[in-house]
């Protein structure tokens, strides 16, 4: 039986050890896929995670979420709320790439993720605008719907199914075929947001991403891709991978760190280039930022160790354009 010795102190699983093991296996799968281009043992590690007797996360009831809480010895609220709210930084708004994909796909998660702009549409902003601050609080843009009291998501069942779908595409033993795992990933994401009844129609949709209308200095752009939601067995493996990662990217919202990591690792989804490249040529406009440079505080307070770390960048400079060791073309 699953004992709960740490129930009083566990804000994730209330002391259910078996759920922690599933989460650990799911992280193991994520990490194996992250290094799969450079680490030959990645397949073995991924298969071990999926086929472990406890398995990986398969249901939303096992999603690791940090509960907002103000009754213990500390107060914890959802940090994403501060990014867009008037009480916080009032900066975060829907991105143009999310605009193109969700509007084009007629994605049922759109009103769950974002509010309508003042014109009644869901509208996003291009990334990398040098005058971006002028859009702070702009009612022409859709903002996230995240509440301060919402739990903070660390991982979800949808991501794990998409990881397994990609593994199956590589002919790894993921306890399922790529198409079935891909479609189950979509189902789990819609279920997570109370939209299970719309899963069949969405999975079979031939809708494609839309063009970005643009406004002001956030310039319009043609559709970033012509990928559909519906699986097509006749597609190449590369196109099937694009489909998997595109849906994974949507399902990961609002876990931006993971979405960025997957974009760097795979090149998907196809997103709009930044508008104003202010890097003096250090970052490629199309493939965009690959890492965060070490801050000046490290150079001034920990110089010797930072210089050692820079030598581990594979010969690349300490800039945002240098790829990390697992980030290979």
């Amino acid at each position: 039986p699953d004992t709960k010795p740490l129930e009083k102190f566990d804000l994730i699983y209330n002391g259910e050890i078996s759920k922690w093991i599933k989460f650990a296996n799911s992280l193991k799968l994520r990490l194996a896929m992250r290094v799969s281009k450079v680490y030959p043992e990645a397949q073995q590690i991924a298969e071990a995670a999926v086929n472990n007797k406890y398995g990986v996360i398969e249901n939303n009831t096992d999603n690791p979420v940090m509960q907002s809480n103000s009754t213990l010895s500390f107060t914890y609220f959802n940090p994403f709320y501060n990014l867009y709210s008037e009480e916080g930084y009032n900066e975060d708004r829907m991105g143009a790439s999310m605009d193109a994909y969700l509007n084009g796909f007629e994605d049922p998660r759109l009103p769950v993720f974002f509010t309508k702009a003042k014109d009644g549409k869901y509208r996003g902003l291009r990334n990398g605008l040098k005058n971006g601050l002028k859009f702070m609080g702009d009612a022409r843009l859709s903002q996230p719907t995240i509440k301060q009291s919402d739990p903070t998501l660390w991982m979800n069942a949808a991501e794990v199914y998409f990881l397994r779908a990609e593994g199956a595409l590589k002919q790894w033993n993921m306890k399922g075929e790529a198409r079935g795992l891909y479609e189950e990933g979509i189902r789990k994401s819609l279920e997570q947001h109370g939209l299970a009844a719309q899963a069949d129609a969405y999975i079979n949709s031939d809708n494609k991403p839309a063009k970005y209308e643009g406004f002001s200095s956030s310039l319009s752009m043609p559709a970033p891709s012509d990928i559909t939601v519906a699986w097509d067995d006749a597609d190449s493996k590369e196109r099937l991978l694009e489909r998997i990662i595109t849906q994974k990217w949507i399902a990961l919202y609002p876990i931006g760190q993971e979405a960025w990591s997957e974009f760097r690792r795979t090149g998907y989804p196809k997103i709009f280039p930044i508008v104003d490249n202010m890097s003096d040529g250090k970052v490629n406009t199309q493939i965009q930022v690959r890492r965060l440079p070490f801050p000046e505080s490290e150079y001034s307070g920990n110089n010797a160790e930072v210089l050692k770390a820079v030598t581990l960048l594979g010969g690349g400079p300490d800039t945002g354009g240098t790829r990390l060791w697992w980030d290979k073309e």
Side-chain angles (χ1 to χ4, degrees):
D2 196 352
T3 58
K4 299 183 179 183
L6 300 176
E7 183 174 7
K8 290 171 58 177
F9 311 99
D10 182 358
L11 297 183
I12 310 298
Y13 289 131
N14 297 314
E16 293 189 40
I17 303 300
S18 63
K19 291 192 175 186
W20 278 107
I21 297 173
K22 287 182 181 180
F23 179 33
N25 284 331
S26 301
L27 285 174
K28 187 176 180 179
L29 174 61
R30 177 198 277 176
L31 290 169
M33 193 62 73
R34 183 68 45 81
V35 301
S36 58
K37 289 182 180 179
V38 296
Y39 195 62
E41 292 83 0
Q43 177 179 352
Q44 178 182 349
I45 293 170
E47 290 178 345
V50 171
N51 292 280
N52 177 272
K53 71 175 183 177
Y54 286 96
V56 292
I57 296 170
E58 294 185 341
N59 297 293
N60 288 310
T61 52
D62 291 337
N63 291 348
V65 292
M66 180 72 170
Q67 302 295 329
S68 295
N69 198 305
S70 59
T71 61
L72 299 179
S73 58
F74 64 93
T75 299
Y76 178 83
F77 293 118
N78 194 309
F80 291 110
Y81 176 79
N82 287 333
L83 296 178
Y84 78 87
S85 68
E86 292 183 3
E87 296 91 337
Y89 297 106
N90 198 24
E91 292 179 349
D92 197 32
R93 293 297 184 268
M94 174 195 265
S97 295
M98 189 69 89
D99 176 333
Y101 281 100
L102 295 189
N103 277 307
F105 287 157
E106 298 181 7
D107 197 298
R109 290 165 290 193
L110 184 50
V112 177
F113 290 171
F114 299 101
T115 62
K116 288 183 178 179
K118 70 176 183 179
D119 63 1
K121 298 180 180 180
Y122 293 97
R123 305 200 66 178
L125 185 69
R126 292 280 300 279
N127 288 71
L129 286 160
K130 63 183 178 183
N131 61 347
L133 288 178
K134 79 175 189 178
F135 295 104
M136 284 182 64
D138 196 320
R140 293 176 297 172
L141 297 168
S142 295
Q143 67 180 27
T145 59
I146 299 167
K147 301 181 184 67
Q148 189 180 49
S149 59
D150 285 347
T152 303
L153 182 68
W154 288 1
M155 194 177 205
N156 58 20
E159 178 191 351
V160 180
Y161 276 104
F162 290 126
L163 285 166
R164 291 169 62 189
E166 182 179 353
L169 200 63
K170 296 175 180 288
Q171 303 299 310
W172 295 359
N173 178 10
M174 296 285 102
K175 298 179 72 173
E177 299 298 321
R179 177 174 185 166
L181 293 167
Y182 164 79
E183 293 180 350
E184 191 61 25
I186 294 175
R187 290 185 190 282
K188 291 303 179 187
S189 181
L190 295 184
E191 175 190 282
Q192 177 188 340
H193 299 291
L195 301 165
Q198 300 184 53
D200 285 342
Y202 184 74
I203 286 170
N204 292 297
S205 170
D206 288 324
N207 289 339
K208 299 176 181 179
K211 65 172 290 187
Y212 172 64
E213 294 182 7
F215 62 91
S216 186
S217 57
S218 185
L219 306 176
S220 64
M221 288 290 287
S225 174
D226 63 353
I227 201 74
T228 62
V229 179
W231 189 269
D232 186 346
D233 287 318
D235 277 342
S236 67
K237 279 193 175 182
E238 192 62 30
R239 191 164 171 82
L240 294 177
L241 176 63
E242 179 186 355
R243 184 173 278 112
I244 291 169
I245 301 300
T246 298
Q247 284 299 320
K248 183 182 185 181
W249 180 76
I250 297 171
L252 279 168
Y253 177 84
I255 312 176
Q257 175 66 48
E258 287 306 310
W260 179 39
S261 296
E262 290 300 87
F263 168 72
R264 287 181 288 166
R265 181 178 69 84
T266 67
Y268 301 122
K270 296 176 181 177
I271 62 176
F272 297 127
I274 61 172
V275 178
D276 299 306
N277 190 332
M278 309 288 285
S279 72
D280 294 325
K282 296 175 183 176
V283 177
N284 183 285
T285 300
Q286 299 299 322
I287 67 171
Q288 308 191 30
V289 176
R290 312 310 290 182
R291 62 179 287 275
L292 298 180
F294 292 112
E296 287 300 320
S297 59
E298 284 294 309
Y299 279 98
S300 60
N302 192 26
N303 187 261
E305 296 304 315
V306 170
L307 293 178
K308 290 179 186 177
V310 171
T311 66
L312 301 177
L313 292 174
D318 180 19
T319 68
T322 297
R323 293 176 180 267
L324 294 176
W325 64 277
W326 51 264
D327 176 15
K328 302 296 182 182
E329 294 183 86

